[in-house]
Amino acid sequence: MLTAGIDEVGMGCIAGPVYAAAVVLPADHGIVGLRDSKRISAGKREQLAVQIRQRAQLFAVASASVEEIDTLNILSASWTAMARAVALLDPRPTLCLVDGAHAPKLEVAEVRAVPGGDRTEEAIMAAAILAKVARDAEMVRLDALHPGYGFAKNKGYGASAIAALNALGVCRPHRRTFAPVRSLLSG
């Protein structure tokens, strides 16, 4: 049975795309230090991402755009990114373990939601790390295009992201359907 771990990054922020990754790890992968991506420093995530890409049997990273988030809603957009990541895997896994309480329909034999999977399943941990590294790189790129918003540092999350939004106004990477952005646009 070919089992992939799947996770997403970027659901709760006010700017930027949502990313997802799918990873199939061999039993003897030898990657030391896999854990919840939120509990690892950026530098360590980068190091682990290199190892994951080198040692994974299969991996893929995909995203859903801000426009898709605003059109579909964030949950559907994150599931779209997950489906895109799985579709890039060849061969297709027979089982996908998805971090969270709910899982999308995917073009595989079986999909299983794993609440807390980013703390218990190594393939999900690896997927979260790849997705986070890819999304962070995109936010750094967006920071260069939209200076002043602090995207390289805040990644579109938290009080500093909202403060920059309020000070500078809405720019292209902002999710227009998210409350802080929507209220500024309607205000």
Side-chain angles (χ1 to χ4, degrees):
M1 177 178 288
L2 196 60
T3 302
I6 302 172
D7 203 359
E8 57 67 34
V9 175
M11 282 188 66
C13 58
I14 64 167
V18 63
Y19 273 72
V23 177
V24 176
L25 289 177
D28 61 348
H29 61 76
I31 303 169
V32 177
L34 287 175
R35 52 192 295 206
D36 181 347
S37 66
K38 294 176 290 299
R39 300 182 190 280
I40 303 172
S41 70
K44 183 65 174 172
R45 276 194 304 270
E46 292 280 348
Q47 293 171 359
L48 286 168
V50 170
Q51 291 181 56
I52 293 164
R53 289 190 290 268
Q54 289 172 345
R55 299 180 188 180
Q57 187 174 342
L58 298 168
F59 72 89
V61 179
S63 65
S65 69
V66 170
E67 293 78 17
E68 289 172 309
I69 293 166
D70 286 338
T71 300
L72 300 171
N73 74 46
I74 186 58
L75 181 60
S76 294
S78 71
W79 286 359
T80 296
M82 290 179 185
R84 287 174 179 157
V86 170
L88 293 170
L89 298 178
D90 186 22
R92 250 341 124 74
T94 48
L95 170 63
C96 288
L97 303 176
V98 180
D99 182 48
H102 305 285
K105 291 179 180 164
L106 301 169
E107 299 286 327
V108 298
E110 184 181 356
V111 180
R112 205 177 298 157
V114 182
D118 59 353
R119 294 184 307 277
T120 61
E121 297 288 337
E122 287 190 331
I124 292 175
M125 294 173 198
I129 290 166
L130 290 186
K132 177 98 174 101
V133 167
R135 186 174 188 284
D136 285 358
E138 175 61 9
M139 296 308 289
V140 168
R141 188 188 75 78
L142 291 174
D143 186 68
L145 295 173
H146 304 278
Y149 289 92
F151 293 143
K153 189 169 185 175
N154 65 38
K155 309 299 188 270
Y157 288 96
S160 68
I162 292 172
L165 168 71
N166 289 331
L168 301 171
V170 178
C171 69
R172 183 170 169 79
H174 283 111
R175 299 172 179 179
R176 279 137 178 82
T177 54
F178 279 46
V181 180
R182 189 177 61 240
S183 69
L184 195 63
L185 288 171
S186 66

